[in-house]
Amino acid sequence: MENSSSKSSSSKHSNNYVSPFPQNQPVPWVEEQEDNWNFQEFLSILRRRSLLLVSVAIAVMPLIMIYLVVNRKPPEFEGSFQLLVEPVNDDTKVVDIVKDSNSQNSSLDYESQIQVLKSPELMISTLKELQASYPEINYYSLLQSLKIIRLGETKIIEVRYQSSNFKQTQVVLERLAENFLDYSQVRRQTKLRQGVKFIEKQLPSIQNRVDQIQKELQVFRQKYNFSNPEAQGTQVASQTVDFYEKKQTIDLQLAQARANIAILQGKNGATTTLNSAPLYQQLITQIRQLDVQIATESTRLQEENPTIQILKEKRASLLPLLSQESERLLGVKFAEVATQLQTLEVQSQELAKIERNLAQQRNQLPVLTRQYTDLQRKLQIATESLNRFLLTRENLQIEISQTELGWQLLQAPTTPEVPISSFNSQRSFIVALLASIFSGIGIVLLVEKLDNTYNTVDDLKKKLKQPLLGNIPFEKQVQSKKNHTFNQKISLANIDNPFSLRIPGLAVLPDQEYGDSSTYFSEALRVLHTNIKLLSSDHPIRSIVISSAMPGDGKSTIALHLAQIATTMGQRVLLVDADFRKPTIHDLSNLNNLFGLSNLISTNLSVGEVIRELPSMSQLSVITAGPIPPDPTKLLSSQKMKQLMADLHNNFDLVIYDVPPLLGLADTSLIVPHTDGLLIVARIHKTNSSMLKVALDNLKISRLNILGIVCNGQKM
């Protein structure tokens, strides 16, 4: 992880040292719980906990074998017989003629038939016969050992019975075969005939119902001249159209006749009528001619002249004829118009009656339509019911004719003398072996699920999702801390490897050996030191804090050996034991702890009086913790401590602080802000993952700079 900010050169000489890393940087990782295992992880878990798996399997297998032996069942004998329950020839086609085209070829409901064969009513006679010889048999025990199935899509029913008594199996099958055959010949036909009898009893009432509805429909049609709703509606609509056409014509003629009467009654009307009469016009013409003759003769003759008198007499004789003709013509014309008007009025009255009749028909049409529809629906329901009863009667009669032959026994009841099941020691051993292995796997997975520690480096990386700076291996040669001390008189020149004496709890990358002069352990520390140096290319890391989430994770041991490795790399290194809770550095380095960091902060001692140098490494300096103070946080948060850390940072190439565990203590949070960052040590099979997660969450809140994780205790 590269640092995101730089440190100015002037800060190195300031009294209050400020870390070059931003203190508000959040923790870029949190632990993620992943419970899903793939196959490779599953095999890794089994391999890692193989001892537990084998132990559980060895412990469980004898118990399973004992259980199988104790609970083994006696030998079981199974017999069977087969029944042909439907004919296999083409007689079934007779049934198909009266059946729905969507029905299946088989006329028997096999599922229902099998349930009937298992019913207590059908089994009671068989049970009475069997209980005479086998009183322990009851309906439920018989049904439990009995199996009745249909063979595929065939018309064959197979009956199987199983018991530990060979003779009992054979007897039960024989009684069942007799009972089923008797049922097919007697009881089954009896039920069919009862069905036919019931249908014939119901048919007369259904037929009477159909006849009654038909009569009602016929009376309805005759009474209302009603054929069907569609035709009746069309007829009424057609009559209405014709009526309105006739009514319009009559109304027009009636208006014309009334106008003619009014014209005749007027003066102009009479004149018009007389002008069109030939006889009247002829008389008018004669009178006018006489008037012309009289006028002509008067010019030359006297008034008393007989010629003029004769002409006047002729004219006087024509006038009464003209008057009579006028009266006659007007009377005839008026009589004709009056007669026409009367006739039209009579027709208009008839049309009014027709209109009322049509209106009545239109009003009655919905009611009549509903009554007609109800009658039709009742007739349809009654007819369908009648047809269904007739069809059912025909089907039952045909089925009766087919079942008169009864069922056929294709395979007589047989029971093999060889039992179908017996205790098999080899099979029981295999079952016990598999069950014990699966039990072991189950226990292993349960333990793995309940295990709250990190089991492998991959597990640590996957759950924390963070950079892993080092992987320190565990070696069996490492001695316990109680039996180990550093020999300060041994010089570095007298040993090939300064780490030949091992420290407990250390561990390493089991990748490869790096030569005779190196070990996995030392190479892992070199890798850790190199990774720390590579974290920042612009500004070298010169002060780090090493801590862990829990005690016992090996933080102090790694701090000491990391300091020694850095020293062998040519750096001037200072190891500071800042653990005022349970200091360890002085024990690991075999130094006294009379004076240390606590004295340096609380008294006026100089740094030179407190710093120790290991005889084996002149470049490695150590400041032990000193006497444990009553209030460690007060000393660590003091201004003198901050000034001291700044001075140490400037005077050494690398300062390593060993601090108390993170969880529940504020010591680390007081020191880390004045260094280049924090290293967290997590130990395989030791560090509690939930506690480490809580510690990381607290660091995230404090916004401390975390350099990375060091894995400790990975077994080779």
Side-chain angles (χ1 to χ4, degrees), residues 390-407:
L390 292 174
L391 180 61
T392 304
R393 183 180 65 178
E394 293 177 1
N395 289 340
L396 290 176
Q397 290 174 346
I398 295 174
E399 192 170 356
I400 289 173
S401 65
Q402 290 180 334
T403 56
E404 288 178 352
L405 299 176
W407 293 352

Side-chain angles (χ1 to χ4, degrees), residues 197-214 378-393:
K197 184 177 180 181
F198 170 78
I199 291 174
E200 291 179 345
K201 182 179 179 181
Q202 298 295 324
L203 278 177
S205 62
I206 297 175
Q207 184 65 56
N208 291 336
R209 175 65 176 165
V210 172
D211 295 340
Q212 180 65 28
I213 296 175
Q214 287 179 342
K378 292 179 181 179
L379 179 60
Q380 181 181 2
I381 294 173
T383 304
E384 289 178 354
S385 179
L386 177 62
N387 293 336
R388 186 164 55 252
F389 268 76
L390 292 174
L391 180 61
T392 304
R393 183 180 65 178

Side-chain angles (χ1 to χ4, degrees), residues 471-489:
N471 184 9
I472 312 302
F474 175 85
E475 293 184 354
K476 295 181 180 179
Q477 294 87 347
V478 176
Q479 301 177 3
S480 65
K481 182 176 68 174
K482 294 181 180 179
N483 299 328
H484 174 78
T485 58
F486 271 95
N487 188 353
Q488 295 184 356
K489 296 182 180 181

Side-chain angles (χ1 to χ4, degrees), residues 87-98:
V88 296
N89 53 24
D90 294 334
D91 294 342
T92 56
K93 294 182 179 179
V94 179
V95 181
D96 295 337
I97 295 175
V98 295

Side-chain angles (χ1 to χ4, degrees), residues 691-704:
M691 291 185 178
L692 180 55
K693 182 181 184 300
V694 172
L696 289 173
D697 291 339
N698 294 335
L699 293 175
K700 181 179 180 180
I701 296 174
S702 302
R703 298 182 178 274
L704 300 180

Side-chain angles (χ1 to χ4, degrees), residues 159-170:
V159 181
R160 291 183 172 274
Y161 183 77
Q162 179 178 326
S163 72
S164 58
N165 189 327
F166 172 81
K167 182 64 177 177
Q168 176 183 337
T169 302
Q170 186 66 24

Side-chain angles (χ1 to χ4, degrees), residues 86-146:
E86 285 187 290
V88 296
N89 53 24
D90 294 334
D91 294 342
T92 56
K93 294 182 179 179
V94 179
V95 181
D96 295 337
I97 295 175
V98 295
K99 285 190 175 182
D100 187 5
S101 59
N102 294 327
S103 63
Q104 298 178 352
N105 293 331
S106 175
S107 62
L108 182 64
D109 183 359
Y110 281 86
E111 294 297 328
S112 302
Q113 186 63 66
I114 290 174
Q115 295 302 319
V116 171
L117 295 179
K118 292 181 179 180
S119 62
E121 181 182 358
L122 193 60
M123 290 288 186
I124 187 169
S125 60
T126 304
L127 283 173
K128 290 180 179 179
E129 296 177 1
L130 292 175
Q131 287 175 348
S133 303
Y134 305 99
E136 71 278 4
I137 297 180
N138 56 39
Y139 173 73
Y140 297 102
S141 63
L142 177 63
L143 200 64
Q144 186 176 6
S145 302
L146 185 65

